[in-house]
Each structure stands twice: as structure tokens, then as C-alpha cells.
Amino acid sequence: MTMDAPKGRPERTRAREAALQLLYRAEVGGLDAEAATREYWEGAAEYLEGDAEYSVRAFAETIVDGVRAGQDALDQRITAALTNWRLERVALIDRLILRMAAFELTRGSDPPAVVIDEAIELARRFGGDDSVRFVNGVADAIRKKLDTDDGRPN
């Protein structure tokens, strides 16, 4: 995973990319969250484009902290949305993107369509050939389940 984001990307998009990279580093590198976070931010100054650093960092860390703290519940939501799949079989990048999307969908700070679109873009940028369709389908199923649970129409 690289930090070579094109200039001019919206701050929340860059924050989501940073969050995915932080979660990936912690998972693959076997680092605890604090070590992965510290190491990542030390090398991310240019990627964050200066002025956006604080807001990008704050939102990215909110996502990372929320995903790590609620991982079991998020995994349950994802598992409930999977059809003929076990969570362990889902590619790591796709699983991390889905955890992030599930966290944001349950948090409700951004419209569901935005959260799902951002998850799709992460899958397009960092995932495999089938990631976009897979992430879109599972994230939308999570959204529909949340809508049903909240009594809102799909």
C-alpha cells in the first residue's frame, strides 16, 4: 500500500485512505495500533498536502479507533451481509474496507451513499479485480439491514 495519492483529493477521502493504510499496517505488520499509527504519520506529511494534515489525521484516527474498538460487532454486521461466504475467506483489504464502511454506516456522520461510494473507491484503488462489486454489494446489504433495523425505508 502506498501513500501516492493525487493532489487535490478531498480531505475525508484522503483520511479514509490513510485509515485503510493504518489498519493494514497494523494487521500485516503485526504492530500494535499506536506503533502503526506513529510510524505511518512520520512518513505521511507530503501525502497529506500540508494544511489538511490535522483534519485528515483526526478523521483517519477516528475511523481506526472506531474499527478497532468495535471490530467484533462490525464483523458480525459484515458476516450477516455475506451470502455464501465466511468472513475469514474475504480478502484482507476487502475485509478492512468493509469494517470501515460498517463503522461509518453505524456512526451515521456521513450519508450512506457517500460512505458506500468511498468504500467502492477504496476497493477500486487498493483491492483486487472483484473487490469493487463485492464491497458494493456487501456494504449496501449492511446499509439495508441498518435501514430496516431503524425502521427507515430501504
Side-chain angles (χ1 to χ4, degrees):
M1 301 187 89
T2 68
M3 291 187 280
D4 61 343
K7 300 293 184 192
R9 293 177 75 79
E11 287 183 12
R12 287 174 86 81
T13 297
R14 288 182 289 142
R16 287 179 178 99
E17 291 170 352
L20 178 60
Q21 292 172 7
L22 282 162
L23 290 166
Y24 183 85
R25 282 176 179 231
E27 187 89 16
V28 171
L31 301 172
D32 64 47
E34 288 181 29
T37 301
R38 184 178 53 256
E39 184 179 290
Y40 177 81
W41 293 125
E42 287 172 0
E46 184 176 320
Y47 168 76
L48 294 176
E49 302 173 19
D51 293 345
E53 181 175 355
Y54 177 77
S55 60
V56 169
R57 184 175 178 157
F59 186 54
E61 289 183 5
T62 296
I63 294 171
V64 170
D65 292 346
V67 166
R68 293 183 66 84
Q71 183 171 323
D72 291 340
L74 297 172
D75 285 352
Q76 288 175 5
R77 287 194 185 280
I78 295 165
T79 299
L82 293 172
T83 306
N84 300 321
W85 280 85
R86 287 189 329 271
L87 186 61
E88 308 81 50
R89 291 188 52 220
V90 175
L92 176 60
I93 289 294
D94 296 348
R95 192 173 339 128
L96 294 173
I97 292 168
L98 289 169
R99 283 176 182 157
M100 290 171 53
F103 168 71
E104 286 197 77
L105 288 167
T106 56
R107 186 170 171 240
S109 64
D110 285 329
V114 170
V115 172
I116 292 171
D117 186 56
E118 290 279 342
I120 291 167
E121 290 307 313
L122 287 171
R124 187 180 324 280
R125 179 144 188 220
F126 296 103
D129 293 340
D130 296 325
S131 293
V132 172
R133 280 191 7 216
F134 182 76
V135 166
N136 183 29
V138 176
D140 193 50
I142 293 168
R143 178 200 55 86
K144 287 177 181 175
K145 176 70 171 137
L146 286 169
D147 285 350
T148 301
D149 291 348
D150 292 343
R152 295 177 290 181
N154 292 336

